Amino acid sequence: MATSLKISDILKNRIHRLASQRRRSPHWVMLEAIQQYVEREEARESFKQEALASWAAYQETGRHLTGEDIRAWLDTWGTGDEKGVPGCHE
């Protein structure tokens, strides 16, 4: 699929300079930038949706772990006395 983008001459020159330094084509640089941006934003949106779902579940059930619970659990990681995930409070 061909897509056209209108970019400023300044940005175009920056892309060409970077492509030359990286021994890549300007096309490759732009595709890489778009791909990285989309992946980052998809991950950000996924994190946001997971947080909203967790908040909704908490509001519905009241089930939670405290920061102290989590810290105590994480402190056991990598030790000979590693604990399992603590149970939720109601």
Side-chain angles (χ1 to χ4, degrees), residues 10-63:
I10 293 170
L11 181 56
K12 184 178 179 180
N13 290 335
R14 290 172 62 198
I15 292 167
H16 279 271
R17 189 171 39 255
L18 182 60
S20 178
Q21 291 168 343
R22 299 289 188 266
R23 297 179 191 220
R24 298 286 187 166
S25 68
H27 176 82
W28 185 93
V29 170
M30 289 184 282
L31 285 178
E32 183 70 13
I34 292 168
Q35 181 177 347
Q36 286 183 22
Y37 174 82
V38 170
E39 288 174 0
R40 183 181 64 242
E41 291 305 309
E42 286 173 339
R44 182 176 290 167
E45 185 61 28
S46 176
F47 178 80
K48 177 184 168 186
Q49 293 305 317
E50 187 177 328
L52 290 172
S54 293
W55 177 244
Y58 167 74
Q59 288 179 310
E60 185 177 312
T61 67
R63 293 173 46 102

